[in-house]
Amino acid sequence: MAAPGLRRGIQRLLGGSPSRARLSRPYSSGPTLAEVLQLPKKQMTKLLYPLQELEQHLVPDTRLNLHLKLFDPSPENIERAEGIFAATARNRIEYLSSAVRLDHAPTLAQPEVCFIGRSNVGKSSLIKALFSLAPDVEVRVSKKPGHTKKMNFFKVGKHFTLVDMPGYGYRAPEDFVDMVETYLKERRNLKRTFLLVDSAVGITKTDHIAIEMCEEFALPYVMVLTKIDKSSKGHLLKQVLEIQKFVNTQTQGCFPQLFPVSVVTYSGIHLLKCFIVNITKPVTTM
């Protein structure tokens, strides 16, 4: 179990106020990768590498703080990863099952990644965008916060499983603590946790509690900044620099590079797909 102080903090993940709740925009499938690769370089960079696009607006002293070269795959590598997210007869992408307890979760040997975040951060919309090339996969998206009440498991061929976790904060399920804490601590094939933060709002108190949980459990995790289309360029830059500074100075297990995304413009979606494929692929030995 988590330390008493942290567990009290986790309990507060069930609270939160609906005052910041906002309606999600209608889901759009966005441009295909083939279409993106045909765009002029400036537009292509904005959609594939949003951090690089933001770098152009920074003064030189702040550019190094974004860690832009930690994960900088070529368009060809992104294209190869895209194929893994495309449903075919030989690469079945499907919803497996839901669970409210770890012992109800499917037993799988393949690598697993999970997505967590506060209610209404855009988690289900992001997962739906990741599965845009698998139209038969139903990812339910609601305008109401707290729609996801269970852990939902999606199998991506023979490659990995993606888990949509319930949102914390406003309208979190009553058994959220036992469900999520147990999963994060005991799921042996969990390779990476993706912690979603609303880029327009920044890291909230409940996000801090989730970060503390990942840190205490020594989980490797990544911060994904959602809804980057909702902010002005100046506000987004300010948020990115503040969150990046927090990651650099206040975390141990967080991947040093942020992943800004938008399910409206599709910025960063293809890069995030490539990162997921990269961290779940089998390790080859000589």
Side-chain angles (χ1 to χ4, degrees):
M1 300 293 291
L6 178 59
R7 189 168 180 85
R8 285 194 297 272
I10 297 172
Q11 290 285 357
R12 293 200 297 277
L13 290 175
L14 299 173
S17 168
S19 61
R20 288 191 178 270
R22 295 173 294 181
L23 298 182
S24 300
R25 294 188 184 183
Y27 168 70
S28 169
S29 61
T32 66
L33 181 58
E35 292 170 339
V36 173
L37 294 177
Q38 296 300 315
L39 293 173
K41 185 176 180 180
K42 184 176 181 180
Q43 291 176 270
M44 184 186 74
T45 300
K46 184 175 183 179
L47 291 177
L48 288 187
Y49 310 103
L51 274 183
Q52 289 187 21
E53 196 271 337
L54 286 174
E55 183 191 24
Q56 302 171 21
H57 303 274
L58 297 174
V59 297
D61 289 346
T62 59
R63 291 181 181 179
L64 293 177
N65 293 331
L66 288 181
H67 292 283
L68 296 179
K69 302 303 181 184
L70 282 179
F71 185 70
D72 185 29
S74 67
E76 292 76 19
N77 286 334
I78 293 177
E79 193 169 20
R80 281 193 288 271
E82 190 84 349
I84 291 177
F85 277 89
T88 66
R90 300 184 63 181
N91 186 50
R92 293 186 60 187
I93 300 177
E94 57 188 337
Y95 161 79
L96 281 180
S97 64
S98 299
V100 294
R101 291 168 45 186
L102 183 59
D103 55 4
H104 293 167
T107 301
L108 301 166
Q110 63 190 38
E112 204 157 270
V113 296
C114 77
F115 284 65
I116 65 172
R118 68 178 181 85
S119 299
N120 205 41
V121 75
K123 179 166 47 61
S124 295
S125 295
L126 174 57
I127 293 173
K128 189 176 181 70
L130 292 174
F131 289 149
S132 63
L133 299 178
D136 291 338
V137 176
E138 182 181 2
V139 182
R140 302 201 316 178
V141 177
S142 174
K143 294 180 179 180
K144 296 181 179 180
H147 175 75
T148 304
K149 299 296 185 183
K150 301 178 180 179
M151 300 181 287
N152 297 316
F153 294 78
F154 300 89
K155 188 176 181 182
V156 181
K158 298 179 180 180
H159 304 285
F160 61 89
T161 304
L162 188 150
V163 187
D164 182 8
M165 306 293 283
Y168 50 77
Y170 179 58
R171 294 178 63 89
E174 293 181 359
D175 50 0
F176 175 89
V177 173
D178 290 333
M179 184 193 315
V180 176
E181 178 185 333
T182 304
Y183 172 86
L184 293 177
K185 283 190 68 174
E186 300 182 13
R187 192 67 166 176
R188 300 305 177 194
N189 56 333
L190 177 62
K191 296 300 182 183
R192 196 70 53 107
T193 297
F194 290 83
L195 198 159
L196 276 56
V197 173
D198 189 327
S199 65
V201 177
I203 299 176
T204 65
K205 290 182 179 180
T206 49
D207 291 328
H208 276 287
I209 296 168
I211 291 167
E212 290 173 11
M213 183 165 57
C214 290
E215 291 285 338
E216 174 156 321
F217 297 161
L219 298 174
Y221 63 105
V222 180
M223 279 200 201
V224 178
L225 309 185
T226 64
K227 306 180 183 181
I228 62 173
D229 57 282
K230 291 183 177 291
S231 297
S232 66
K233 187 76 68 177
H235 181 74
L236 180 58
L237 279 169
K238 180 176 180 292
Q239 290 284 13
V240 166
L241 288 173
E242 288 181 356
I243 295 172
Q244 185 67 69
K245 181 179 179 181
F246 173 84
V247 169
N248 293 349
T249 60
Q250 303 296 320
T251 70
Q252 296 292 326
C254 188
F255 189 69
Q257 180 175 315
L258 306 177
F259 284 81
V261 298
S262 167
V263 300
V264 176
T265 66
Y266 239 57
S267 293
I269 299 294
H270 303 292
L271 183 68
L272 184 58
K273 288 182 183 181
C274 189
F275 184 75
I276 293 171
V277 169
N278 186 268
I279 62 176
T280 56
K281 64 184 179 182
V283 177
T284 57
T285 56
M286 299 299 292

